[in-house]
Amino acid sequence: MTRWVVRILRPLLMLITRRDWQGAEKLPQGGYVLAPNHISHVDPILLAHFMVDHGVTPRYLAKDTLFDVRLIGAIVRGAEQIPVHRSTAGAAESLRTAVESVQAGQVVTIYPEGTITRDPDLWPMSSRTGAVRVALASGRPLVPLAQWGAQDMLWPYSKRLRLLPRKTIHVHVGDPVDLTDFEGLELTEDLLHRATDRLVDALTAMLGEIRGELPRGARFDVRTLERPRSTLPDPTTNTEEH
């Protein structure tokens, strides 16, 4: 993917995008987990542009189904992307490969949500635990990355690509998420979910700064792909006994 982006896509992206890239100085040395929000099918390419220009080889934890798609499969295999077999025994093997890669000094990009957000306003959903699990298992930093603008080029789950007028692509790198209070503990599901909530809180706050607004309502659930219903009583209902 690196050669592909540099030789073919980078010149095109330089022409059709404006770039608001901030926080690259926060990228650690050596291996780490890069954890971005996911808003469009084109944002992996736009993030790869950011990474290449900052000396980072793009390597994603990608859905295994992509490896079977003609052309795309050849690209992701040639770029040594890591297939993840979700909801199968192969998922654990994918994460082991990711841990080994990070420990070997590579940067592995893992979308915490595992899919494009279904929130109508494109805020991060509650997320899967893979990014946190790899960071804690490898002992390497977990770096949040908030992005915005790719949805103007290709709206989520849309097929209509809008290249003009030029879109501004915002990519902001945050400080590594502090996971020191979880280090050395058994990686239980409860611990992983609490640590993942911390990551998503950081991503949401960073995205809020880019957008100049805050999310409304509860966070979409990545498992049900719906917004949880409020557990508060309906204020229009009178529950007092007469």
Side-chain angles (χ1 to χ4, degrees):
M1 181 180 289
T2 301
R3 292 192 296 272
W4 184 53
V5 170
V6 172
R7 294 179 182 177
I8 301 176
L9 287 182
R10 186 180 181 278
L12 175 63
L13 293 174
M14 292 295 290
L15 287 174
I16 66 174
T17 66
R18 295 185 178 92
R19 293 156 298 284
D20 168 35
W21 292 347
Q22 298 184 29
E25 71 279 358
K26 297 178 181 179
L27 295 173
Q29 297 296 314
Y32 55 90
V33 177
L34 193 61
N37 59 310
H38 202 356
I39 54 176
S40 171
H41 284 299
V42 300
D43 69 50
I45 295 173
L46 298 170
L47 289 182
H49 182 195
F50 169 81
M51 286 187 267
V52 166
D53 275 28
H54 291 92
V56 177
T57 300
R59 195 175 195 205
Y60 292 88
L61 200 66
K63 295 179 183 178
D64 61 309
T65 52
L66 291 177
F67 290 74
D68 298 325
V69 178
R70 183 174 297 180
L71 181 61
I72 294 177
I75 292 171
V76 295
R77 285 193 298 272
E80 298 183 346
Q81 307 304 297
I82 303 172
V84 58
H85 309 271
R86 294 196 304 194
S87 303
T88 69
E93 182 61 35
S94 301
L95 292 183
R96 280 195 292 271
T97 301
V99 169
E100 292 169 358
S101 298
V102 173
Q103 289 176 329
Q106 297 178 348
V107 179
V108 175
T109 301
I110 303 176
Y111 286 104
E113 297 157 284
T115 189
I116 296 172
T117 181
R118 300 296 180 90
D119 186 304
D121 296 319
L122 306 189
W123 293 102
M125 299 185 292
S126 70
S127 294
R128 304 178 190 278
T129 60
V132 163
R133 189 186 296 270
V134 172
L136 286 172
S138 64
R140 298 298 299 161
L142 175 64
V143 181
L145 183 151
Q147 59 165 326
W148 188 245
Q151 79 287 343
D152 292 330
M153 187 176 291
L154 183 66
W155 189 258
Y157 303 103
S158 168
K159 296 181 180 180
R160 185 176 179 183
L161 190 62
R162 300 173 181 267
L163 300 181
L164 296 174
R166 293 173 70 189
K167 309 301 187 291
T168 299
I169 307 302
H170 305 270
V171 177
H172 291 197
V173 179
D175 294 314
V177 178
D178 184 2
L179 299 177
T180 53
D181 52 326
F182 298 117
E183 292 175 356
L185 302 179
E186 181 183 358
L187 299 184
T188 63
E189 287 301 311
D190 177 68
L191 181 151
L192 290 168
H193 282 295
R194 285 188 288 122
T196 298
D197 286 343
R198 188 176 298 179
L199 166 62
V200 179
D201 287 345
L203 282 172
T204 303
M206 292 166 60
L207 187 58
E209 290 184 4
I210 295 173
R211 296 173 56 171
E213 60 180 337
L214 294 174
R216 296 172 295 176
R219 185 173 287 156
F220 256 57
D221 190 315
V222 73
R223 291 164 183 80
T224 64
L225 299 179
E226 296 178 351
R227 194 186 306 279
R229 294 183 179 180
S230 173
T231 57
L232 297 176
D234 186 341
T236 63
T237 302
N238 187 351
T239 58
E240 293 182 0
E241 296 183 2
H242 297 283

